[in-house]
Amino acid sequence: MPTRRPPRQSHHVYVVLLDDRVWNEPSFRKANPDHALGRPCVYVGMTGLDPDLRFDKHKAGIQSNRFVFKYGLRLLPALYAVYNPMPYEAAREMEVELAIGLREAGYGVWQA
C-alpha cells in the first residue's frame, strides 16, 4: 500500500495595511460596523505565492483586489508570518480565522 504524502506547505496568508482613506468606501464601511476608531484598516488574503510577490501583483493591477490596488500601503508580516507556509486548505481556513480575529480586535477588515 503506497504511503500518502503530507500536503505541500506552499500557501500563505497575508495582511496588507490600507490607507485610512479606504474608510470613505461605502462597502468597506458597511462590512466593518464595529471598526474601532484609530485601529488600522487591512486586507487579509491567501496565496500560493510569496506574500511580497502577491502584494506587488496587487499594486500592479494583476488579479488585484480593488482596495489593495488603490489603498494598499505595505504588508504587515507581524500579523501573519507565524502561520506560513501551510497547505492550501489550512490557508483557506486561516484566512477567514485571521480576518475574524482582526475584526474582533477592532481592525477594519476586507477579506475577499
Side-chain angles (χ1 to χ4, degrees):
M1 180 180 270
T3 58
R4 271 185 94 172
R5 280 193 285 163
R8 287 183 41 221
Q9 306 280 317
S10 60
H11 284 76
H12 305 266
V13 291
Y14 62 99
V15 180
V16 176
L17 177 65
L18 302 175
D19 188 286
D20 290 339
R21 292 175 301 152
V22 73
W23 190 248
N24 296 325
E25 297 275 354
S27 57
F28 192 92
R29 265 197 324 273
K30 185 177 179 185
N32 291 283
D34 298 323
H35 176 247
L37 195 61
R39 293 297 271 176
C41 293
V42 297
Y43 171 85
V44 177
M46 66 152 288
T47 182
L49 304 172
D50 178 89
D52 289 312
L53 178 58
R54 183 66 187 105
F55 178 71
D56 291 344
K57 286 185 166 225
H58 275 294
K59 294 306 288 181
I62 301 168
Q63 295 176 324
S64 182
N65 172 271
R66 67 186 178 105
F67 294 138
V68 179
F69 178 71
K70 189 171 180 181
Y71 302 107
L73 299 175
R74 67 179 185 278
L75 291 168
L76 296 174
L79 297 178
Y80 65 83
V82 66
Y83 305 115
N84 294 329
M86 65 186 91
Y88 174 79
E89 283 301 324
R92 279 189 50 200
E93 292 172 12
M94 180 54 67
E95 176 189 11
V96 173
E97 290 175 26
L98 186 55
I100 290 169
L102 291 172
R103 195 171 271 125
E104 287 174 349
Y107 285 71
V109 179
W110 192 264
Q111 181 246 331

